[in-house]
C-alpha cells in the first residue's frame, strides 16, 4: 500500500490501524512523505505497527504534490499490486481483499467510500447517489483513497500526471481507459472518507479542484469535459453571492462549509480558464 503524506501526524494512526486490520496478508506500507514538518518521519520510525505492516518511509519532498508522492512511493514498492489510499481516511478491514479479488480481471480497480463514520457534521455535505460516485460525463474513475493498479500498467502509463495539483486520480483513470486499459469498480463502501473541516482548507481544496477541472478539459477536450458558457458563469457567481455565509442557512439552503468549497472551486476554475486564454493570446477555443 502507498500513502502520500504531508503533515498528517494527527490522522495517520487511524489509517495505519485500519491497514493493520486488513483481512488480506501480507502487506507492505510505503509512507511517501511530500515534505512534512510535523515530525512525521520520526513518528513512523518509532511506530508500534512498523514491523507488522513492513512500513517504509520514503522522501518525496523534491516536488510538491500528491501525484509526485504517489509516483515515488510506487517506485519503492515491491508488492504484486499497487494499492493507494490517503492518510486522513480509514480503510475497512476487507478493503484490500476486495480490490485483490477483482484485480485479475482488470488493469486498475477502485471502490466507493462512505462519509458517515469520520464526519460528525455529515449532513452538511450529502453524497451523490452511489451509482454516481466517481463519475465524469463519459467515464468512471478510481479515487486516490481507494485505487489498485498493476505495477506494469502504472509504469506503462508513466504514473500520475505531476502537473495536476488535484484530481490526479481522475486524470490517471481516464488516461488509462483511453489507452485501452480496463477499470474495475466496486460499488462497496470500503473506505471511511474524512471531510476537511476548516474554511481555509475547504477553500483551498475547492480551488485546487476547480483548477484541475480546467486542466482535465484541456487534456481531454469538451466531449468529456464540456465548457461553461458565459451565462453559466454568471449564474454560478450570482448564486454564490446570494447564498453567502452572511445570510441564514434556512434562506440560502447552502451550508457555510459547502459555500466555501464551492467558492474556491469557482475561483480556481475561473482563474485557470483565464490563464489558458492568455496563453492562447486571448482566444478561447472552447464553445461559449
Amino acid at each position: 500500500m502507498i500513502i502520500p503524506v504531508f503533515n498528517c501526524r494527527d490522522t495517520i494512526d487511524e489509517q495505519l490501524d485500519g491497514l493493520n486490520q486488513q483481512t488480506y496478508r501480507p502487506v507492505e506500507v510505503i509512507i511517501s512523505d511530500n515534505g512534512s514538518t510535523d515530525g512525521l518521519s520520526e513518528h513512523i520510525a518509532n511506530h508500534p505497527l512498523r514491523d507488522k505492516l513492513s512500513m517504509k518511509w520514503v522522501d518525496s519532498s523534491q516536488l510538491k504534490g500528491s501525484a509526485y508522492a504517489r509516483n515515488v512511493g510506487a517506485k519503492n514498492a515491491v508488492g504484486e499490486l499497487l494499492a493507494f489510499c490517503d492518510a486522513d481516511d480509514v480503510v475497512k478491514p476487507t478493503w484490500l481483499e476486495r480490490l485483490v479479488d477483482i484485480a485479475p480481471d482488470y488493469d486498475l480497480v477502485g471502490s466507493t467510500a462512505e462519509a458517515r463514520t469520520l464526519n460528525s457534521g455529515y449532513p452538511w455535505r450529502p453524497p451523490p447517489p452511489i451509482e454516481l460516485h466517481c463519475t465524469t460525463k463519459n467515464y468512471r474513475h478510481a479515487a486516490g483513497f481507494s485505487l489498485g493498479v498493476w505495477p506494469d500498467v502504472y509504469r506503462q502509463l508513466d504514473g500520475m500526471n505531476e502537473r495536476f495539483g488535484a484530481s490526479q486520480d481522475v486524470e490517471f483513470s481516464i488516461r488509462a481507459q483511453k489507452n485501452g486499459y480496463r477499470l474495475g469498480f466496486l460499488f462497496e463502501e470500503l473506505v471511511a472518507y474524512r471531510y476537511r473541516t476548516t474554511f481555509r482548507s475547504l477553500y483551498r481544496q475547492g480551488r485546487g479542484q476547480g483548477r484541475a477541472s480546467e486542466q482535465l478539459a484541456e487534456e481531454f477536450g469538451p466531449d468529456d469535459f464540456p465548457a461553461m458558457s458565459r451565462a453559466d458563469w454568471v449564474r454560478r457567481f450570482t448564486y454564490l453571492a446570494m447564498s453567502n455565509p452572511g445570510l441564514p442557512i434556512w434562506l440560502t439552503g447552502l451550508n457555510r462549509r459547502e459555500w466555501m468549497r464551492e467558492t474556491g472551486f469557482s475561483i480556481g476554475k475561473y482563474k485557470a480558464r483565464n490563464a489558458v486564454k492568455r496563453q492562447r493570446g486571448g482566444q478561447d477555443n472552447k464553445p461559449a
Side-chain angles (χ1 to χ4, degrees):
M1 278 90 73
I2 299 160
I3 312 177
V5 299
F6 177 73
N7 287 351
C8 61
R9 183 169 176 172
D10 291 342
T11 59
I12 195 170
D13 281 355
E14 291 181 78
Q15 182 66 291
L16 294 176
D17 286 340
L19 293 173
N20 188 48
Q21 296 175 31
Q22 292 302 293
T23 54
Y24 182 90
R25 295 285 179 158
V27 297
E28 170 199 54
V29 177
I30 306 294
I31 309 294
S32 185
D33 194 337
N34 199 222
S36 297
T37 57
D38 61 350
L40 181 66
S41 61
E42 295 84 358
H43 182 63
I44 295 300
N46 299 294
H47 202 280
L49 294 177
R50 181 180 176 87
D51 293 335
K52 286 185 179 180
L53 294 176
S54 300
M55 208 180 304
K56 182 193 301 182
W57 179 92
V58 297
D59 181 14
S60 58
S61 61
Q62 294 85 355
L63 181 67
K64 296 301 294 181
S66 58
Y68 180 73
R70 288 188 174 101
N71 289 342
V72 171
K75 289 177 182 178
N76 284 271
V78 297
E80 294 183 6
L81 181 73
L82 301 177
F84 296 89
C85 58
D86 287 336
D88 55 349
D89 303 324
V90 179
V91 294
K92 303 297 178 70
T94 59
W95 169 67
L96 187 57
E97 181 180 7
R98 293 296 294 126
L99 293 185
V100 170
D101 282 346
I102 68 168
D105 296 324
Y106 300 98
D107 300 298
L108 63 161
V109 293
S111 77
T112 58
E114 53 88 3
R116 299 177 298 275
T117 304
L118 300 179
N119 304 287
S120 58
Y122 172 77
W124 73 266
R125 187 177 165 189
I130 195 168
E131 65 270 14
L132 297 181
H133 283 198
C134 299
T135 56
T136 64
K137 178 185 176 185
N138 297 319
Y139 290 92
R140 188 172 301 281
H141 65 86
F145 58 71
S146 180
L147 166 64
V149 57
W150 297 107
D152 60 331
V153 174
Y154 198 80
R155 287 193 298 270
Q156 290 162 14
L157 289 166
D158 294 322
M160 298 279 175
N161 190 330
E162 295 168 3
R163 293 191 303 104
F164 279 68
S167 301
Q168 309 96 343
D169 44 7
V170 181
E171 191 278 338
F172 179 79
S173 296
I174 295 176
R175 175 159 46 94
Q177 291 172 84
K178 283 182 174 289
N179 279 277
Y181 294 103
R182 298 162 300 163
L183 169 68
F185 195 83
L186 291 166
F187 291 97
E188 300 175 19
E189 297 177 337
L190 299 177
V191 179
Y193 182 83
R194 189 190 306 271
Y195 290 152
R196 301 188 187 190
T197 56
T198 67
F199 288 158
R200 177 183 174 85
S201 64
L202 285 163
Y203 174 81
R204 293 181 64 180
Q205 181 186 47
R207 186 181 63 188
Q209 291 173 341
R211 186 163 51 240
S213 73
E214 284 299 298
Q215 288 182 285
L216 289 166
E218 284 295 304
E219 194 77 20
F220 299 117
D223 288 343
D224 293 321
F225 293 90
M228 289 177 61
S229 68
R230 291 179 179 86
D232 291 333
W233 283 107
V234 170
R235 282 192 291 269
R236 174 177 281 270
F237 282 111
T238 299
Y239 171 68
L240 290 171
M242 295 179 65
S243 58
N244 71 82
L247 299 173
I249 296 176
W250 63 264
L251 180 62
T252 66
L254 189 64
N255 184 281
R256 289 173 174 82
R257 291 186 177 91
E258 187 67 5
W259 183 89
M260 189 62 71
R261 193 175 70 92
E262 284 296 319
T263 298
F265 180 90
S266 300
I267 291 174
K269 186 175 180 68
Y270 186 76
K271 287 185 174 180
R273 186 187 190 194
N274 284 342
V276 170
K277 289 176 67 175
R278 286 195 298 271
Q279 291 173 0
R280 293 172 174 169
Q283 297 297 317
D284 191 348
N285 294 336
K286 296 177 182 177

